[in-house]
Amino acid sequence: MEPPRAASVKLAGGELRVAVDRGDLPLDALCGFASRRNPKRPFLFVSRVLGRHIPVRPATMRMVHRRLAARLPAGLPGPAVVVGMAETAIALGHGVHDAWRTMSKRGDLLFIHSTRYHLAGHRLLSTFEESHSHATGHLIHEPAHPADADLFAICRTLVLVDDEASTGSTFVALAEACRRHMPGLSRIVCVTITDWMGEVRREEIRDAMPARTDFVSLLEGHYSFVPSDAPLPRMPDVTGDGGFKDSLIPVNWGRTGLREPHPLPDHVTAIEAKPVERILVLGTGEFVYPPFQLARRLSAMGADVMVQATTRSPIMEGNDVHGILEFPDAYRDGIPNFLYSVRPRQYDRILVCYETPPETAQEGLIAALGAEPVFFNNSGG
C-alpha cells in the first residue's frame, strides 16, 4: 500500500495541510502533528525519530544520523563546523557530526551547539533570534580549546542542523551570526529531518545566504495553515533569567566545541541492563547526546530501550502528544519544563540524566515517574 503523501490535520488553532514532494522514508514514519501553546506559531511538526517529544529507539536515531550524514555533498571544503540548534536539534546535530566524522574519517570537523545559557568563562561569539520559537534567543560561545577556536575561525564549510525547516529564516540568522567569525566561509549546508519550505522558499534562502548553500533532508514537502477563530493560546514564560550557568554546567558536552563526543564517565558506563528490560533513558533540556550514548550501550546489552528528553517547549494535549507532565527546570531559571507521551507502567526502569549537580534534580518529575536520577558530572553517580 502506497504510504500517504499528504495529510490534513485538525489542530486547536486551525487546520494544518502538508504534502510530500520527496521522501526517503514515509511521512508517518518521520513525523506527526500537535498544537503549540504559542500564538506566533500554533502548530508543531512532532518528529517520531528525533527523541524529544516522543520516545524513540536509539537505533532509529542513529539510522537518521547516518542517513543525513551520507546525504552531505561530497568534497565539502574543510575545515567544517557542524552547528546543532538548541534545544531540539542538539542530539541530532551531534549525531550527524559523529556519523560524518566516522564515515569520512575526516579530522577537520568540529561540532558546537547553540545554547540558551550564558557562560561567563567563555567568550560569547554570536547571538541570533529564532523568531517563532517559544524561547527566541540563541547564543554561540567561542570553542574552548585553542585549536578548536582556530578551526572555527578558518571554517570553510558550515553545516547547520535543525529538526525541521518551515520558513528557513532561522538558518539565515544563524549563518549570518557565524559568518562574522568565518571570513573564509565558502559553503553552507542546511540539514533537517523534514524540510517544509518548498522549492521557491529554498531558492529565496539560497539568495539570502552569505555563501553557496545546499539543503539536505529525509523528506521535502510544503505546508499551509488555515487558522480558525479559536482564541490564541497563552504561552508560558520559558525564556529564563539570562544569568551565568558555569557552576551548573562545568563540563563541555558541546556548547564550546568538540571534535569527537566527550567520553561518558566511568560511573555512567558502569550502569547495566537486563535482557528485554524496558528502559527509558531521559535527557533533560539541552543535555541529550550523552543520554543517547548511554541508551545505545544499554540497548547493546539486550534491553528494550527508548530515548526521550524533557523540553521547555509548551505543547497542548491532543493529536500526537499525550500525557503532559510539567515541572521546574534543572538550570535554576525558574521556568516550566515539560515531558510528553510517557504512560504509567510503560517502562520497568526510567533513568533521568542530568549534566547539572544533584541538588538540581527535579524531584517532582522523578517521583511522578518512579525514576532514577543519573548525574553525569558527579563522580559519585
Side-chain angles (χ1 to χ4, degrees):
M1 184 175 179
E2 178 73 16
R5 298 188 65 84
S8 179
V9 184
K10 296 289 187 182
L11 300 174
E15 182 178 2
L16 178 65
R17 300 167 184 168
V18 300
V20 175
D21 301 321
R22 176 198 63 79
D24 293 8
L25 295 167
L27 171 64
D28 58 359
L30 291 175
C31 74
F33 310 94
S35 301
R36 291 167 25 130
R37 292 167 59 191
N38 184 341
K40 293 180 287 186
R41 180 173 292 179
F43 58 90
L44 178 70
F45 299 100
V46 182
S47 175
R48 300 188 192 280
V49 298
L50 184 68
R52 176 64 66 169
H53 306 116
I54 293 176
V56 178
R57 297 190 185 282
T60 299
M61 292 177 64
R62 187 60 174 165
M63 175 270 292
V64 167
H65 301 162
R66 292 183 61 84
R67 278 178 176 260
L68 289 171
R71 275 190 162 272
L72 292 171
L76 289 170
V81 174
V82 179
V83 182
M85 288 276 291
E87 65 184 0
T88 309
I90 289 174
L92 179 66
H94 209 154
V96 169
H97 168 269
D98 196 28
W100 188 23
R101 179 183 63 88
T102 301
M103 295 160 64
S104 68
K105 305 195 183 327
R106 292 179 61 156
D108 62 346
L109 309 180
L110 177 72
F111 171 73
I112 196 167
H113 69 78
S114 71
T115 180
R116 267 62 180 257
Y117 301 118
H118 289 267
L119 300 174
H122 300 275
R123 185 164 74 100
L124 182 63
L125 287 183
S126 301
T127 64
F128 66 97
E129 295 290 315
E130 187 180 7
S131 59
H132 64 267
S133 177
H134 48 277
T136 59
H138 288 254
L139 313 173
I140 297 178
H141 291 90
E142 184 175 46
H145 194 283
D148 294 341
D150 291 344
L151 187 153
F152 191 95
I154 61 172
C155 169
R156 297 179 63 202
T157 294
L158 184 61
V159 179
L160 309 178
V161 183
D162 207 352
D163 60 313
E164 57 90 8
S166 49
T167 69
S169 298
T170 305
F171 279 140
V172 176
L174 176 52
E176 283 295 334
C178 292
R179 181 194 60 82
R180 294 191 291 271
H181 303 279
M182 299 173 172
L185 182 64
S186 61
R187 294 287 296 274
I188 297 171
V189 186
C190 299
V191 177
T192 55
I193 299 171
T194 54
D195 177 345
W196 300 105
M197 291 187 288
E199 190 53 44
V200 171
R201 181 58 180 161
R202 277 191 289 274
E203 284 302 318
E204 293 173 350
I205 297 300
R206 285 189 180 97
D207 291 342
M209 285 294 207
R212 173 185 164 184
T213 300
D214 298 281
F215 297 93
V216 166
S217 67
L218 300 185
L219 181 147
E220 290 179 358
H222 53 279
Y223 79 96
S224 63
F225 182 73
V226 181
S228 67
D229 57 2
L232 292 174
R234 185 186 67 84
M235 183 169 61
D237 182 5
V238 292
T239 55
D241 65 9
F244 294 113
K245 306 297 182 182
D246 300 66
S247 63
L248 295 180
I249 44 180
V251 175
N252 171 29
W253 298 100
R255 288 183 185 88
T256 55
L258 290 171
R259 299 285 184 106
E260 57 187 59
H262 194 289
L264 299 181
D266 291 344
H267 70 276
V268 172
T269 60
I271 295 173
E272 296 185 352
K274 301 173 185 176
V276 306
E277 184 180 14
R278 298 172 303 167
I279 301 176
L280 174 65
V281 179
L282 192 62
T284 45
E286 293 185 2
F287 186 60
V288 279
Y289 197 72
F292 161 72
Q293 292 174 289
L294 172 60
R296 291 186 68 199
R297 290 180 58 87
L298 299 179
S299 181
M301 297 176 190
D304 182 9
V305 183
M306 304 294 278
V307 185
Q308 201 177 340
T310 66
T311 176
R312 66 172 76 192
S313 177
I315 308 173
M316 295 183 186
E317 181 97 22
N319 298 95
D320 287 285
V321 167
H322 299 280
I324 301 173
L325 288 176
E326 180 176 338
F327 40 88
D329 75 294
Y331 295 86
R332 293 181 175 165
D333 266 340
I335 61 173
N337 275 195
F338 307 93
L339 176 66
Y340 304 104
S341 307
V342 177
R343 301 190 303 273
R345 296 176 296 281
Q346 186 177 0
Y347 302 100
D348 301 315
R349 190 176 173 199
I350 297 177
L351 305 176
V352 185
C353 302
Y354 293 95
E355 62 174 333
T356 52
E359 59 268 24
T360 67
Q362 297 151 307
E363 298 297 342
L365 171 66
I366 292 167
L369 298 176
E372 307 167 35
V374 180
F375 302 101
F376 279 57
N377 293 347
N378 178 42
S379 60

